[in-house]
Amino acid sequence: MLKGTIIKGYSSFYYVDIGERIISCSLRGKNRLGKNDFYPGDLVEIKITNEDKSEGVIERTLERKNFLLRPPVANIDQIIITSAMKQPSPDYMLIDRLMAVAVSKNIDPVLVFNKIDLSDEQEIEEVRKRYEESEATIIFISTMEKDKIPLYKKQLEEILMNKINILAGISGVGKTSIINILDGGDDRAVGKISEKLKRGKHTTRHTELVQIGDHSWLADSPGFSSLDFPKDFKPEMLPRVYIDYLKYSNLCKFNNCFHLEEPDCEIKRKIEEGILSKERYENYKYLIEELKSREGSQY
Ligand SMILES: Nc1nc2c(ncn2[C@@H]2O[C@H](COP(=O)(O)OP(=O)(O)OP(=O)(O)O)[C@@H](O)[C@H]2O)c(=O)[nH]1
Ligand SMILES: [Mg+2]
Ligand SMILES: [Zn+2]
């Protein structure tokens, strides 16, 4: 039995990447009844039925580590949270929320700050400091700095490598410009990635993973509604997905410390010492309140 990843599917027909090539797969009768869903990103076991034509059948889906409904993609490894240094200024509330939501869904957050040509070293340092303790990968780029584009492209490709990625960010931060950088500059057909992503926009049913490099994939940009906390996510789980707080919370007096009113709280100490970001903590408190009110409304 071979293992592979579904790249795209049409009704009961799927393209499965098995590493060195793509196999066109159909479903076995028992799987055609619609009980089991198969989505891009799904890790599947297949059997080759026709070696010459690269055809096969999907035997079964392996357990998913996560699933997004819009776009419907399984097993997302990484979310590229894209912001601009200016025009528009970073929406820190959104960044902090997306980071926490991502971790809650077992997706690694990466922070990309674009348009550094519009900012100075000091502003970049402030942003870097703010997320220093979060352990999220963070890069600063500009799609306008022509001479540095090969360097930025390489950095982006390294981050995306061997992963299923999704790109998120509000309008105008430079998502399309970033995809254009990834698209150009080598022997692949220019514009292939953006063209494929554009095609997928009209139909959520035919979402596909677009290949960036040998083993890196990019899914359609998710709608922000699908980047909410899972329904069963409780307020007391927030400290566990605010990754910068995890490595210090064992020093809080109470082991289930919310880092709010409790005495002898290591997180509040680290904020006073200027190690953890005060602004990020304000957003933490806001998210706790939001999760509490959501719970009350039986959402
Ligand atoms: N100064 C500057 N402008 C940039 C940079 N990158 C992109 N822009 C400009 O910012 C604007 C928005 O860029 P897009 O790539 O279209 O942004 P987007 O995130 O795809 O926006 P939506 O498609 O609306 O979600 C365009 O006018 C770009 O030319 C940059 O590094 N520096
Ligand atoms: Mg765009
Ligand atoms: Zn605490």
Side-chain angles (χ1 to χ4, degrees):
M1 204 81 79
L2 285 168
K3 266 188 208 165
T5 304
I6 296 181
I7 302 314
K8 62 176 169 179
Y10 297 99
S11 49
S12 58
F13 201 69
Y14 298 86
Y15 293 90
V16 177
D17 173 45
I18 57 165
E20 75 278 17
R21 61 196 166 125
I22 308 277
I23 308 293
S24 328
C25 292
S26 53
L27 298 178
R28 284 219 184 278
K30 61 176 176 169
N31 286 331
R32 278 198 219 118
L33 298 171
K35 269 193 187 165
N36 298 303
D37 294 324
F38 299 86
Y39 290 103
D42 265 329
L43 208 55
V44 290
E45 283 181 351
I46 66 163
K47 199 173 263 168
I48 305 262
T49 51
N50 186 326
E51 193 64 58
D52 296 337
K53 290 187 181 164
S54 285
E55 287 173 353
V57 283
I58 295 180
E59 295 288 347
R60 65 187 195 101
T61 312
L62 304 180
E63 205 183 328
R64 289 177 185 150
K65 78 168 184 176
N66 56 41
F67 181 70
L68 279 192
L69 205 53
R70 251 171 276 142
V73 177
N75 298 321
I76 294 147
D77 296 304
Q78 214 165 236
I79 179 170
I80 314 301
I81 302 172
T82 312
S83 310
M85 291 300 292
K86 299 259 169 71
Q87 299 175 19
S89 306
D91 182 340
Y92 291 114
M93 186 68 228
L94 181 66
I95 297 171
D96 292 345
R97 176 198 300 275
L98 289 183
M99 282 176 81
V101 169
V103 177
S104 77
K105 293 181 193 276
N106 205 0
I107 301 173
D108 290 334
V110 169
L111 304 180
V112 173
F113 286 88
N114 184 34
K115 307 199 189 186
I116 57 170
D117 56 300
L118 302 178
S119 70
D120 57 36
E121 262 312 308
Q122 194 194 332
E123 286 165 327
I124 292 172
E125 265 327 294
E126 273 166 27
V127 176
R128 201 193 298 279
K129 181 96 180 66
R130 183 189 180 103
Y131 292 105
E132 199 167 39
E133 296 285 315
S134 77
E135 277 162 35
T137 301
I138 175 166
I139 59 165
F140 296 88
I141 64 168
S142 165
T143 67
M144 292 291 177
E145 294 176 340
K146 289 271 176 290
D147 53 324
K148 291 212 184 124
I149 282 180
L151 172 75
Y152 297 141
K153 182 181 184 210
K154 197 157 164 268
Q155 285 180 324
L156 287 164
E157 281 173 343
E158 266 165 28
I159 285 169
L160 300 170
M161 204 180 338
N162 287 324
K163 297 199 163 81
I164 296 175
N165 301 279
I166 52 172
L167 193 61
I170 57 171
S171 183
V173 296
K175 298 181 297 298
T176 300
S177 310
I178 288 170
I179 288 165
N180 288 342
I181 287 187
L182 292 167
D183 252 332
D186 65 8
D187 53 8
R188 262 177 296 136
V190 171
K192 206 165 137 200
I193 303 171
S194 43
E195 197 182 291
K196 282 197 172 178
L197 286 173
K198 225 180 277 163
R199 233 186 293 143
K201 279 235 170 0
H202 306 291
T203 150
T204 47
R205 278 184 56 206
H206 294 163
T207 290
E208 66 178 284
L209 299 179
V210 178
Q211 190 152 21
I212 304 292
D214 276 351
H215 299 285
S216 10
W217 304 92
L218 191 62
D220 284 351
S221 294
F224 285 113
S225 61
S226 57
L227 293 175
D228 208 343
F229 288 106
K231 281 204 167 61
D232 55 356
F233 192 84
K234 303 255 180 293
E236 57 268 30
M237 292 166 160
L238 192 67
R240 275 183 264 155
V241 298
Y242 239 66
I243 27 191
D244 7 4
Y245 295 3
L246 271 183
K247 62 180 166 199
Y248 295 119
S249 55
N250 59 329
L251 294 173
C252 291
K253 178 171 178 181
F254 300 104
N255 64 7
N256 56 352
C257 189
F258 260 98
H259 321 309
L260 295 172
E261 308 304 330
E262 296 92 338
D264 202 358
C265 168
E266 183 69 8
I267 301 306
K268 283 192 276 180
R269 229 171 357 242
K270 283 282 173 288
I271 289 163
E272 267 160 42
E273 290 169 13
I275 307 245
L276 288 171
S277 155
K278 186 160 176 355
E279 293 83 8
R280 214 166 119 70
Y281 179 64
E282 293 303 320
N283 290 346
Y284 169 85
K285 287 198 288 191
Y286 182 94
L287 288 173
I288 290 255
E289 283 310 312
E290 186 185 88
L291 285 164
K292 276 185 186 162
S293 63
R294 184 176 92 151
E295 202 176 36
S297 69
Q298 298 292 309
Y299 169 78

